[in-house]
Amino acid sequence: MCLGLILSCNTYAIDAQATFSELDKDGNGTLSESEASEDAVLHESFEQIDKDQNGQISFAEFKQFLQ
């Protein structure tokens, strides 16, 4: 749901940050697998997005995934 909205917008950077912030429920700057489960695509691709395999998706990893 969230990712579809981002991909269709011209204001990609702002929307990416807003979506990431919305998903980052604890506000720690990363997405846990639990937080990522709010979006089916993120949840399904979690291990591939988490490039450093630390169990968290950083904003940099999130942006790279969206490109």
Side-chain angles (χ1 to χ4, degrees):
M1 180 174 108
C2 295
L3 293 178
L5 294 173
I6 290 174
L7 297 175
S8 66
C9 293
N10 292 333
T11 54
Y12 164 77
I14 293 169
D15 289 341
Q17 182 63 58
T19 300
F20 186 86
S21 295
E22 183 180 321
L23 291 167
D24 183 16
K25 302 295 185 200
D26 63 7
N28 71 347
T30 62
L31 301 179
S32 65
E33 192 164 359
S34 174
E35 290 168 325
S37 71
E38 295 291 317
D39 183 278
V41 174
L42 280 180
H43 182 65
E44 192 173 294
S45 305
F46 189 87
E47 290 182 15
Q48 296 156 344
I49 300 167
D50 181 19
K51 298 290 185 192
D52 60 7
Q53 299 298 298
N54 69 348
Q56 303 286 317
I57 296 174
S58 67
F59 182 62
E61 290 169 327
F62 181 75
K63 282 192 329 183
Q64 185 177 29
F65 171 69
L66 294 178
Q67 294 177 347

